[in-house]
Amino acid sequence: MWYVIHASDCADSLEARKSARPAHLARVQALLDQGRLLVAGPMPNIDSPQPGPAGFSGSTIIAEFDSLEDARQWAGADPYVEAGVYEYVDVRPFIKALP
């Protein structure tokens, strides 16, 4: 089943985000390589694809896992979690209706 992983950044998390980004992207790339990734990306704090020092408010990943518990475990082991980037992470089941 698909699951939405929605994470909100802590205040002033940009430097920690930059440091942990390569490891975070490697995990997301593994989902893509396995055919389990629908979409993933950060949410900028300003209306710009390059927010610069304004940073990000969080991230969203929609990916396929065997269970909600598996999705929660995967999300909890994210390098951004370990680096203290995220204030909280919410994981919920998702049904893809369109397209």
Side-chain angles (χ1 to χ4, degrees), residues 2-3 23-25 35 39 45 52 57 60 63 66 71 78 84 88 90 92 98:
W2 295 105
Y3 295 89
H24 168 78
L25 290 179
V39 66
N45 276 323
S57 64
T60 299
D66 290 334
D78 191 282
Y88 77 86
D90 185 36
R92 296 176 185 237
L98 293 171

PDB file of all heavy atoms in Angstrom, residues 2-3 23-25 35 39 45 52 57 60 63 66 71 78 84 88 90 92 98:
ATOM      1  N   TRP A   2       0.331   2.349  -0.495  1.00  0.00           N
ATOM      2  CA  TRP A   2       1.032   3.623  -0.476  1.00  0.00           C
ATOM      3  C   TRP A   2       0.868   4.286   0.891  1.00  0.00           C
ATOM      4  O   TRP A   2      -0.170   4.152   1.543  1.00  0.00           O
ATOM      5  CB  TRP A   2       0.457   4.568  -1.540  1.00  0.00           C
ATOM      6  CG  TRP A   2       0.668   4.118  -2.936  1.00  0.00           C
ATOM      7  CD1 TRP A   2      -0.279   3.585  -3.763  1.00  0.00           C
ATOM      8  CD2 TRP A   2       1.879   4.139  -3.682  1.00  0.00           C
ATOM      9  NE1 TRP A   2       0.272   3.280  -4.973  1.00  0.00           N
ATOM     10  CE2 TRP A   2       1.602   3.611  -4.954  1.00  0.00           C
ATOM     11  CE3 TRP A   2       3.182   4.545  -3.402  1.00  0.00           C
ATOM     12  CZ2 TRP A   2       2.564   3.493  -5.945  1.00  0.00           C
ATOM     13  CZ3 TRP A   2       4.143   4.423  -4.390  1.00  0.00           C
ATOM     14  CH2 TRP A   2       3.842   3.907  -5.640  1.00  0.00           C
ATOM     15  N   TYR A   3       1.902   5.042   1.290  1.00  0.00           N
ATOM     16  CA  TYR A   3       1.880   5.793   2.540  1.00  0.00           C
ATOM     17  C   TYR A   3       2.466   7.178   2.302  1.00  0.00           C
ATOM     18  O   TYR A   3       3.453   7.317   1.574  1.00  0.00           O
ATOM     19  CB  TYR A   3       2.679   5.075   3.640  1.00  0.00           C
ATOM     20  CG  TYR A   3       2.038   3.771   4.005  1.00  0.00           C
ATOM     21  CD1 TYR A   3       2.380   2.600   3.335  1.00  0.00           C
ATOM     22  CD2 TYR A   3       1.057   3.701   4.988  1.00  0.00           C
ATOM     23  CE1 TYR A   3       1.760   1.397   3.640  1.00  0.00           C
ATOM     24  CE2 TYR A   3       0.440   2.501   5.298  1.00  0.00           C
ATOM     25  CZ  TYR A   3       0.799   1.357   4.618  1.00  0.00           C
ATOM     26  OH  TYR A   3       0.174   0.166   4.920  1.00  0.00           O
ATOM     27  N   ALA A  23      22.787  11.464   2.529  1.00  0.00           N
ATOM     28  CA  ALA A  23      22.305  10.188   3.079  1.00  0.00           C
ATOM     29  C   ALA A  23      20.789  10.068   2.928  1.00  0.00           C
ATOM     30  O   ALA A  23      20.270   8.984   2.609  1.00  0.00           O
ATOM     31  CB  ALA A  23      22.709  10.055   4.543  1.00  0.00           C
ATOM     32  N   HIS A  24      20.075  11.177   3.130  1.00  0.00           N
ATOM     33  CA  HIS A  24      18.621  11.177   2.952  1.00  0.00           C
ATOM     34  C   HIS A  24      18.272  10.840   1.499  1.00  0.00           C
ATOM     35  O   HIS A  24      17.425   9.972   1.244  1.00  0.00           O
ATOM     36  CB  HIS A  24      18.066  12.548   3.341  1.00  0.00           C
ATOM     37  CG  HIS A  24      16.645  12.771   2.942  1.00  0.00           C
ATOM     38  ND1 HIS A  24      15.578  12.241   3.631  1.00  0.00           N
ATOM     39  CD2 HIS A  24      16.125  13.474   1.904  1.00  0.00           C
ATOM     40  CE1 HIS A  24      14.452  12.616   3.028  1.00  0.00           C
ATOM     41  NE2 HIS A  24      14.765  13.361   1.988  1.00  0.00           N
ATOM     42  N   LEU A  25      18.917  11.499   0.561  1.00  0.00           N
ATOM     43  CA  LEU A  25      18.632  11.252  -0.854  1.00  0.00           C
ATOM     44  C   LEU A  25      18.977   9.829  -1.272  1.00  0.00           C
ATOM     45  O   LEU A  25      18.283   9.248  -2.115  1.00  0.00           O
ATOM     46  CB  LEU A  25      19.368  12.256  -1.734  1.00  0.00           C
ATOM     47  CG  LEU A  25      18.862  13.693  -1.665  1.00  0.00           C
ATOM     48  CD1 LEU A  25      19.697  14.588  -2.578  1.00  0.00           C
ATOM     49  CD2 LEU A  25      17.392  13.783  -2.031  1.00  0.00           C
ATOM     50  N   GLY A  35      11.189   0.728  -7.353  1.00  0.00           N
ATOM     51  CA  GLY A  35       9.868   0.955  -7.914  1.00  0.00           C
ATOM     52  C   GLY A  35       8.799   1.245  -6.870  1.00  0.00           C
ATOM     53  O   GLY A  35       7.619   1.044  -7.123  1.00  0.00           O
ATOM     54  N   VAL A  39       6.333   9.899  -5.252  1.00  0.00           N
ATOM     55  CA  VAL A  39       6.808  11.280  -5.313  1.00  0.00           C
ATOM     56  C   VAL A  39       7.551  11.600  -4.019  1.00  0.00           C
ATOM     57  O   VAL A  39       7.275  11.002  -2.973  1.00  0.00           O
ATOM     58  CB  VAL A  39       5.622  12.263  -5.522  1.00  0.00           C
ATOM     59  CG1 VAL A  39       4.702  12.269  -4.327  1.00  0.00           C
ATOM     60  CG2 VAL A  39       6.077  13.654  -5.885  1.00  0.00           C
ATOM     61  N   ASN A  45      10.169  27.303   2.369  1.00  0.00           N
ATOM     62  CA  ASN A  45       9.514  28.287   3.232  1.00  0.00           C
ATOM     63  C   ASN A  45       8.980  29.493   2.462  1.00  0.00           C
ATOM     64  O   ASN A  45       8.158  30.237   2.986  1.00  0.00           O
ATOM     65  CB  ASN A  45      10.477  28.793   4.314  1.00  0.00           C
ATOM     66  CG  ASN A  45      10.514  27.877   5.516  1.00  0.00           C
ATOM     67  OD1 ASN A  45       9.504  27.317   5.907  1.00  0.00           O
ATOM     68  ND2 ASN A  45      11.682  27.727   6.099  1.00  0.00           N
ATOM     69  N   GLY A  52      17.030  29.331  -0.926  1.00  0.00           N
ATOM     70  CA  GLY A  52      18.234  29.862  -0.309  1.00  0.00           C
ATOM     71  C   GLY A  52      18.167  29.820   1.199  1.00  0.00           C
ATOM     72  O   GLY A  52      17.721  28.836   1.792  1.00  0.00           O
ATOM     73  N   SER A  57      10.207  24.155   5.068  1.00  0.00           N
ATOM     74  CA  SER A  57       9.276  23.909   6.171  1.00  0.00           C
ATOM     75  C   SER A  57       9.099  22.425   6.447  1.00  0.00           C
ATOM     76  O   SER A  57       8.569  22.045   7.478  1.00  0.00           O
ATOM     77  CB  SER A  57       7.918  24.534   5.870  1.00  0.00           C
ATOM     78  OG  SER A  57       7.327  23.926   4.738  1.00  0.00           O
ATOM     79  N   THR A  60       7.792  15.864   1.969  1.00  0.00           N
ATOM     80  CA  THR A  60       6.742  14.882   1.758  1.00  0.00           C
ATOM     81  C   THR A  60       7.276  13.761   0.871  1.00  0.00           C
ATOM     82  O   THR A  60       7.939  14.030  -0.133  1.00  0.00           O
ATOM     83  CB  THR A  60       5.502  15.511   1.096  1.00  0.00           C
ATOM     84  OG1 THR A  60       4.992  16.525   1.956  1.00  0.00           O
ATOM     85  CG2 THR A  60       4.421  14.481   0.835  1.00  0.00           C
ATOM     86  N   ALA A  63       5.327   6.724  -0.761  1.00  0.00           N
ATOM     87  CA  ALA A  63       6.023   5.511  -1.163  1.00  0.00           C
ATOM     88  C   ALA A  63       5.229   4.281  -0.741  1.00  0.00           C
ATOM     89  O   ALA A  63       4.344   4.350   0.114  1.00  0.00           O
ATOM     90  CB  ALA A  63       7.414   5.467  -0.539  1.00  0.00           C
ATOM     91  N   ASP A  66       4.978  -2.427   2.926  1.00  0.00           N
ATOM     92  CA  ASP A  66       4.131  -3.583   3.218  1.00  0.00           C
ATOM     93  C   ASP A  66       3.082  -3.292   4.281  1.00  0.00           C
ATOM     94  O   ASP A  66       2.032  -3.927   4.314  1.00  0.00           O
ATOM     95  CB  ASP A  66       4.978  -4.784   3.662  1.00  0.00           C
ATOM     96  CG  ASP A  66       5.802  -5.358   2.523  1.00  0.00           C
ATOM     97  OD1 ASP A  66       5.399  -5.197   1.347  1.00  0.00           O
ATOM     98  OD2 ASP A  66       6.851  -5.967   2.808  1.00  0.00           O
ATOM     99  N   ALA A  71       6.297   1.502   7.144  1.00  0.00           N
ATOM    100  CA  ALA A  71       6.464   2.888   6.704  1.00  0.00           C
ATOM    101  C   ALA A  71       6.949   3.766   7.853  1.00  0.00           C
ATOM    102  O   ALA A  71       7.848   4.597   7.679  1.00  0.00           O
ATOM    103  CB  ALA A  71       5.157   3.419   6.137  1.00  0.00           C
ATOM    104  N   ASP A  78      15.179   7.832   9.045  1.00  0.00           N
ATOM    105  CA  ASP A  78      15.684   8.771   8.041  1.00  0.00           C
ATOM    106  C   ASP A  78      16.838   9.599   8.609  1.00  0.00           C
ATOM    107  O   ASP A  78      16.789  10.011   9.772  1.00  0.00           O
ATOM    108  CB  ASP A  78      14.555   9.697   7.590  1.00  0.00           C
ATOM    109  CG  ASP A  78      14.947  10.491   6.372  1.00  0.00           C
ATOM    110  OD1 ASP A  78      15.699  11.480   6.529  1.00  0.00           O
ATOM    111  OD2 ASP A  78      14.524  10.122   5.276  1.00  0.00           O
ATOM    112  N   GLY A  84      18.211  15.709  13.469  1.00  0.00           N
ATOM    113  CA  GLY A  84      17.407  16.703  14.161  1.00  0.00           C
ATOM    114  C   GLY A  84      16.768  17.736  13.242  1.00  0.00           C
ATOM    115  O   GLY A  84      16.394  18.817  13.694  1.00  0.00           O
ATOM    116  N   TYR A  88       8.554  16.946  13.674  1.00  0.00           N
ATOM    117  CA  TYR A  88       7.686  15.775  13.778  1.00  0.00           C
ATOM    118  C   TYR A  88       7.525  15.134  12.411  1.00  0.00           C
ATOM    119  O   TYR A  88       7.726  15.762  11.381  1.00  0.00           O
ATOM    120  CB  TYR A  88       6.333  16.108  14.394  1.00  0.00           C
ATOM    121  CG  TYR A  88       5.363  16.790  13.455  1.00  0.00           C
ATOM    122  CD1 TYR A  88       4.534  16.049  12.606  1.00  0.00           C
ATOM    123  CD2 TYR A  88       5.262  18.169  13.408  1.00  0.00           C
ATOM    124  CE1 TYR A  88       3.654  16.668  11.743  1.00  0.00           C
ATOM    125  CE2 TYR A  88       4.377  18.794  12.549  1.00  0.00           C
ATOM    126  CZ  TYR A  88       3.582  18.042  11.715  1.00  0.00           C
ATOM    127  OH  TYR A  88       2.713  18.659  10.860  1.00  0.00           O
ATOM    128  N   ASP A  90       4.737  12.546  10.372  1.00  0.00           N
ATOM    129  CA  ASP A  90       3.423  11.917  10.361  1.00  0.00           C
ATOM    130  C   ASP A  90       3.386  10.932   9.190  1.00  0.00           C
ATOM    131  O   ASP A  90       3.787  11.278   8.080  1.00  0.00           O
ATOM    132  CB  ASP A  90       2.347  12.992  10.193  1.00  0.00           C
ATOM    133  CG  ASP A  90       0.946  12.437  10.283  1.00  0.00           C
ATOM    134  OD1 ASP A  90       0.708  11.508  11.082  1.00  0.00           O
ATOM    135  OD2 ASP A  90       0.070  12.934   9.548  1.00  0.00           O
ATOM    136  N   ARG A  92       0.825   8.241   7.145  1.00  0.00           N
ATOM    137  CA  ARG A  92      -0.574   7.830   6.977  1.00  0.00           C
ATOM    138  C   ARG A  92      -0.743   7.021   5.703  1.00  0.00           C
ATOM    139  O   ARG A  92      -0.057   7.262   4.715  1.00  0.00           O
ATOM    140  CB  ARG A  92      -1.479   9.048   6.880  1.00  0.00           C
ATOM    141  CG  ARG A  92      -1.485   9.872   8.138  1.00  0.00           C
ATOM    142  CD  ARG A  92      -2.316  11.108   7.952  1.00  0.00           C
ATOM    143  NE  ARG A  92      -2.206  11.950   9.124  1.00  0.00           N
ATOM    144  CZ  ARG A  92      -3.236  12.334   9.836  1.00  0.00           C
ATOM    145  NH1 ARG A  92      -4.453  11.963   9.511  1.00  0.00           N
ATOM    146  NH2 ARG A  92      -3.053  13.106  10.886  1.00  0.00           N
ATOM    147  N   LEU A  98      -5.908   9.306  -8.747  1.00  0.00           N
ATOM    148  CA  LEU A  98      -5.610   9.871 -10.066  1.00  0.00           C
ATOM    149  C   LEU A  98      -4.159  10.273 -10.115  1.00  0.00           C
ATOM    150  O   LEU A  98      -3.606  10.656  -9.103  1.00  0.00           O
ATOM    151  CB  LEU A  98      -6.476  11.102 -10.328  1.00  0.00           C
ATOM    152  CG  LEU A  98      -7.979  10.856 -10.468  1.00  0.00           C
ATOM    153  CD1 LEU A  98      -8.710  12.185 -10.506  1.00  0.00           C
ATOM    154  CD2 LEU A  98      -8.283  10.039 -11.705  1.00  0.00           C
TER     155      LEU A  98
END
